[in-house]
Amino acid sequence: MSEAPSETTASTQATVAPPTAKRSSSLLSTGVGRNLGLVVALVVLCIVGAVTAGDTFATGPNVLTILRLAAVIGVVSVGATFVVTGGGIDLSVGALVALSSVWATTLATQQLATDIHWIFMVSTALLVGAACGLVNGLLIAYGKIVPFIATLAMLAAARGLAEIISDRRTQIITDKSFLDFFGGSVIGVPVLVWMFVLVAAAGWVVLNRTTFGRRTFAVGGNAEAARLAGIKVQRHTVALYVVAGLCCGIAAVMLMARTNTGSATHGQLYELDSIAAVVIGGTLLSGGRGTIVGTVFGVLIFTTLNNVFTLNNLSISAQSVAKGAIIVIAVLLQQRLARRTTSS
């Protein structure tokens, strides 16, 4: 009889301990907890940059350089967030950026832009990106082709078409008004950075505050359940890839303005960078969970990392190794948190 209280106490302690662990793990699994971790990682990177690169890193011009570089891949990553959240993958984003930039800078297109308005070049880039995204979506949703294979085929086809159109030559932009507008600044911040902010803000609103966003989470979480709930899964899948293609078109315009050119070599390895930013940001590769805010932080982390490596004269190969390691760590953390959430 005297041992009963001790057993009760032990069992009580056993039942009291798990909620604490659950609270800590649940904090890590929330959007706020993940974003806080990203902020900490970004701050640590900035400290490392300031220590290793000295005054070169912690300067206004260098900060603007980081933001300007992050803007282009950031817009691509916003589109990729929609696709991955919806349960897909897009390996063609870099090639779509290249094709859009080449098509928008051909002599014929530039002549029309000169005669009419530079908005014609912008419209061409957006239409090419959206059209390629539409083809991706149709092949995946209605052609029943695995997203990896369909977008891999688009990567090869779009890059090849860009080389054919440009004859493997860099096309120089001659429309000065286009360059003046997109190369300018507003209150000291480059227009390209403002474009990234606007695209990210629009993406956040659409993903978190609209029916389209709710359907995206549903399709990515369980496509069959979404279909039974009345969502037109195939049509929605096509729309997701059109959004990604449109973002590639916007990124092409930004890259054209930054480099003053259209080229079949634009967007090299953007598929790696965008997927890395999305995964680091907390979007599940299996779909059903996505965050634009996390993606923005992911882009900033990788761009800052590249900047720190460059200022310290480290090779591109070392940067690639670091990116690969970070991606693996991020996926492992996602899997661990997913197991904890499932078990709880």
Side-chain angles (χ1 to χ4, degrees), residues 79-80 82-93 136-137 140 145-152 237 240-241 244 271 274-276 278-279 284-287:
F82 279 88
V83 170
V84 176
T85 302
I89 196 76
D90 193 347
L91 301 180
S92 66
V93 291
N136 277 337
I140 293 166
I145 299 177
V146 178
F148 181 90
I149 300 300
T151 56
L152 183 63
T237 299
L240 290 176
Y241 282 94
E271 52 278 353
S274 61
I275 293 173
V278 168
V279 172
L284 285 179
L285 276 175
S286 57

Side-chain angles (χ1 to χ4, degrees), residues 104-105 109-110 113 117-125 173 175 256:
T105 55
T109 307
Q110 291 203 59
H117 195 273
W118 55 258
I119 197 69
F120 191 84
M121 294 173 61
V122 175
S123 301
T124 300
I173 298 176
D175 194 318
M256 287 157 50

Side-chain angles (χ1 to χ4, degrees), residues 171-195:
Q171 299 173 165
I172 307 299
I173 298 176
T174 57
D175 194 318
K176 191 173 184 300
S177 58
F178 172 89
L179 298 176
D180 289 341
F181 180 84
F182 289 101
S185 300
V186 178
I187 61 174
V189 179
V191 170
L192 299 185
V193 176
W194 285 115
M195 291 177 67

Side-chain angles (χ1 to χ4, degrees), residues 68-150:
R68 194 180 292 109
L69 292 173
V72 178
I73 188 61
V75 169
V76 174
S77 299
V78 169
T81 302
F82 279 88
V83 170
V84 176
T85 302
I89 196 76
D90 193 347
L91 301 180
S92 66
V93 291
L96 298 193
V97 170
L99 180 59
S100 298
S101 73
V102 165
W103 210 316
T105 55
T106 60
L107 291 177
T109 307
Q110 291 203 59
Q111 185 59 51
L112 285 172
T114 301
D115 296 339
I116 303 173
H117 195 273
W118 55 258
I119 197 69
F120 191 84
M121 294 173 61
V122 175
S123 301
T124 300
L126 299 186
L127 287 173
V128 171
C132 291
L134 177 63
V135 173
N136 277 337
L138 291 174
L139 290 175
I140 293 166
Y142 295 98
K144 304 299 182 182
I145 299 177
V146 178
F148 181 90
I149 300 300

